[in-house]
Amino acid sequence: MAAPDREGDTSVVTRTRTEKKLERPKLYRVLLHNDDYTTREFVVWILEVVFHRSEVESVQIMLHVHNNGVGVAGVYPFDVAQAKVEKVLELAEQNEYPLLSTLEPE
Ligand code: TYC
């Protein structure tokens, strides 16, 4: 907390910049949803190129989605998460797969 600035009878207390910077950004889960048409290989490739997952992690996440219907590809601040969802949908459309990706608050 900064020292109060005094002017007559009033005083103003200014919050310091370092205090503001400690606020954590809200995080969002990027989800992948299962479907019957997208290939396993394409989902693994998406996890590698969009979410920078290793091949082993990508196969594990893909199988989790395949078996459970939905799974978490990654957790990011809102702008990054939104950009990842858009990239997945763009690559899926270009490759004519119905793969769905959505966001949810953590
Ligand atoms: N169920 C798909 C298949 O058997 C594979 C798949 C996994 C699709 C994960 C989408 O998000 C997904 N070819």
Side-chain angles (χ1 to χ4, degrees):
M1 190 76 76
D5 296 327
R6 296 202 177 279
E7 196 178 307
D9 285 342
T10 63
S11 74
V12 176
V13 179
T14 313
R15 222 164 168 240
T16 63
R17 188 173 291 185
T18 42
E19 277 178 279
K20 272 192 178 163
K21 276 191 175 163
L22 290 176
E23 287 171 18
R24 288 167 197 266
K26 278 191 192 166
L27 296 177
Y28 292 79
R29 290 191 271 263
V30 177
L31 305 178
L32 292 179
H33 299 262
N34 189 37
D35 67 73
D36 292 339
Y37 303 101
T38 306
T39 63
R40 294 175 179 219
E41 291 74 14
F42 183 76
V43 178
V44 169
W45 178 73
I46 286 284
L47 286 158
E48 289 172 353
V49 303
V50 179
F51 299 95
H52 308 294
R53 299 291 190 167
S54 71
E55 187 179 355
V56 169
E57 270 183 311
S58 297
V59 170
Q60 285 172 346
I61 295 168
M62 179 280 294
L63 286 174
H64 176 92
V65 176
H66 176 74
N67 291 323
N68 296 279
V70 66
V72 180
V75 178
Y76 308 94
F78 183 78
D79 289 4
V80 179
Q82 193 181 40
K84 301 267 184 207
V85 167
E86 282 171 13
K87 192 70 194 170
V88 171
L89 299 179
E90 178 191 318
L91 291 170
E93 190 176 345
Q94 280 173 7
N95 289 275
E96 300 186 324
Y97 288 123
L99 179 62
L100 181 62
S101 180
T102 58
L103 286 189
E104 71 175 18
E106 207 188 30

